[in-house]
Amino acid sequence: MTPFSIVVAMDQNRGIGRDGKLPWYLKCDLKHFKEITTQTRDQNKHNAVIMGRKTWDSLPAQFRPLPKRVNVVITRNANLQFPQDVLRVNGLEQALDLFAKGALSKIIESVYVIGGAQIFEQAIVRKECRKIYLTQILHSFDCDTFFPPFVDYFQHEAGSPRYVENEISYLFAEYSRKAGV
Ligand SMILES: NC(=O)c1ccc[n+]([C@@H]2O[C@H](COP(=O)([O-])OP(=O)(O)OC[C@H]3O[C@@H](n4cnc5c(N)ncnc54)[C@H](OP(=O)(O)O)[C@@H]3O)[C@@H](O)[C@H]2O)c1
């Protein structure tokens, strides 16, 4: 069993995407995402980021694979080619298995599921999903992709003050899995 966390930014309606992209540009949130997913306590280890194929496609070419992290892409298409060092898997189960034992388990400190909606849906129902790092955007965007309802599974643990960027207010929150669900 590989424990993992989710990192997500969502608007007031749980919207996370539009036309295969993020509906907003928040530089501080991108920095926050990078810090959470890159930082390790052990300097000799890296973290892993697991994403759906559409989220991979959404990353600007110059930023992928996400540096200093082991990138894992979930797809049903066994013919898709990815850059060297990117791991292609056929489902979330196979992605998590990569880090359960063997060589990768020794060099990976934390595992983060970073989207999109299809993968989040499969992730939040798993007991190994311990935590959600949530950027709560206090604004409504025109979205076509949504984070699933999660408050039945997760409880609020911590929240930052509000920040404002490009006239958009947002805060960073942390949710942890409720006992027994
Ligand atoms: N706001 C945020 O924090 C955030 C984070 C990430 C993404 N996003 C946004 O979310 C949107 C993308 O999300 P999405 O839900 O459309 O796509 P997604 O979850 O990123 O990727 C979906 C793809 O993953 C593969 N997949 C899903 N379930 C699978 C399974 N059980 N087995 C094997 N493969 C599976 C399939 O790839 P194949 O079709 O190749 O088989 C599927 O088309 C974009 O707008 C993106 O910008 C937002």
Side-chain angles (χ1 to χ4, degrees):
M1 195 161 106
T2 306
F4 67 89
S5 301
I6 279 174
V7 190
V8 62
M10 75 177 80
D11 80 353
Q12 292 185 145
N13 309 311
R14 279 186 284 103
I16 64 165
R18 170 87 193 173
D19 296 332
K21 298 189 291 257
L22 293 178
W24 47 76
Y25 177 71
L26 294 172
K27 199 172 176 186
C28 287
D29 181 50
L30 296 176
K31 184 166 170 272
H32 180 72
F33 171 84
K34 184 178 173 187
E35 282 172 7
I36 290 173
T37 56
T38 308
Q39 280 174 358
T40 54
R41 289 180 301 277
D42 183 338
Q43 297 301 307
N44 298 314
K45 291 190 173 184
H46 281 90
N47 297 323
V49 286
I50 299 174
M51 71 197 91
R53 192 266 305 160
K54 291 185 182 175
T55 292
W56 167 266
D57 284 349
S58 78
L59 298 174
Q62 69 270 29
F63 295 126
R64 68 185 200 202
L66 294 173
K68 298 183 185 162
R69 286 149 281 184
V70 172
N71 286 228
V72 183
V73 181
I74 301 177
T75 176
R76 295 184 180 89
N77 186 345
N79 297 318
L80 275 185
Q81 299 292 321
F82 293 98
Q84 206 184 0
D85 297 338
V86 174
L87 304 173
R88 187 192 65 224
V89 294
N90 63 16
L92 184 56
E93 189 82 37
Q94 194 182 28
L96 295 171
D97 278 353
L98 289 171
F99 309 107
K101 53 185 182 313
L104 274 176
S105 68
K106 295 186 176 59
I107 59 158
I108 295 300
E109 186 168 286
S110 300
V111 176
Y112 296 99
V113 168
I114 62 164
Q118 290 185 34
I119 305 305
F120 286 145
E121 279 195 16
Q122 297 163 51
I124 68 157
V125 294
R126 299 184 71 109
K127 287 193 191 316
E128 309 100 291
C129 182
R130 303 275 170 81
K131 198 163 179 175
I132 300 176
Y133 292 93
L134 168 66
T135 301
Q136 179 67 68
I137 298 171
L138 306 167
H139 189 88
S140 294
F141 286 83
D142 185 16
C143 294
D144 61 14
T145 320
F146 296 85
F147 194 80
F150 62 100
V151 291
D152 286 350
Y153 298 100
F154 292 88
Q155 63 200 10
H156 185 260
E157 290 287 349
S160 73
R162 289 182 181 203
Y163 301 94
V164 182
E165 198 180 334
N166 304 335
E167 299 181 353
I168 302 167
S169 298
Y170 61 96
L171 55 84
F172 300 120
E174 293 181 19
Y175 285 75
S176 65
R177 187 163 210 97
K178 291 179 180 174
V181 294

